[in-house]
């Protein structure tokens, strides 16, 4: 599966941003989708995920101010983050994961930079 992330940019503190990831090349609905982020000097961390069945999970740092959603017709997954903080500044990566008899396979998009100015 190929993933193309978009929607990053420069946002002021308190603003909102919606990231979008378009998937192609496989059966999108079978994949668990997620958004990860990596700030300079930090490890990549999970921001939010959504299973093939629609169950969602959020990191504590964004819980209550973000929404992940998927559209299995358009093969897209989005992440809206509200009340942005400078600590949300990072490169955000789209992830697709699927488990088979051979194990779990992850696919990554190219990343999109989000910068929150104080």
């Amino acid at each position: 599966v190929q993933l193309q992330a978009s929607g990053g940019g420069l946002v002021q503190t308190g603003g909102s941003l919606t990231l979008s990831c378009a998937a192609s090349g496989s059966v999108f609905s079978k994949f668990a989708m997620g958004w990860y982020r990596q700030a300079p000097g930090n490890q990549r961390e999970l921001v939010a995920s959504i299973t093939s069945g629609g169950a969602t999970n959020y990191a504590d740092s964004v819980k209550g101010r973000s929404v992940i959603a998927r559209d299995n017709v358009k093969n897209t997954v989005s992440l809206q983050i509200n009340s942005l903080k400078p600590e949300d500044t990072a490169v955000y990566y789209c992830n697709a994961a699927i488990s088979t008899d051979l194990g779990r396979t992850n696919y990554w998009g190219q990343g999109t930079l989000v910068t929150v100015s104080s």
Side-chain angles (χ1 to χ4, degrees):
V1 62
Q2 293 79 44
L3 303 172
Q4 182 71 40
S6 61
L10 176 63
V11 186
Q12 289 187 337
T13 296
S16 299
L17 199 66
T18 299
L19 306 178
S20 183
C21 177
S24 61
S26 191
V27 183
F28 177 79
S29 61
K30 293 184 178 179
F31 286 81
M33 302 299 297
W35 285 96
Y36 290 70
R37 66 186 180 188
Q38 187 168 17
N42 290 356
Q43 291 186 335
R44 192 172 297 187
E45 62 178 6
L46 174 69
V47 179
S49 63
I50 184 167
T51 67
S52 58
T56 58
N57 180 54
Y58 298 92
D60 288 343
S61 58
V62 300
K63 194 173 294 183
R65 60 184 182 96
S66 65
V67 178
I68 187 170
R70 65 187 299 157
D71 186 328
N72 289 338
V73 174
K74 296 180 179 179
N75 287 1
T76 59
V77 60
S78 64
L79 177 69
Q80 179 180 345
I81 307 179
N82 303 312
S83 302
L84 282 160
K85 308 173 183 179
E87 51 263 45
D88 292 318
T89 295
V91 178
Y92 284 70
Y93 296 90
C94 178
N95 169 270
I98 191 167
S99 294
T100 67
D101 292 342
L102 299 178
R104 186 175 178 87
T105 302
N106 284 282
Y107 300 88
W108 296 93
Q110 84 285 7
T112 184
L113 177 63
V114 173
T115 303
V116 183
S117 63
S118 57

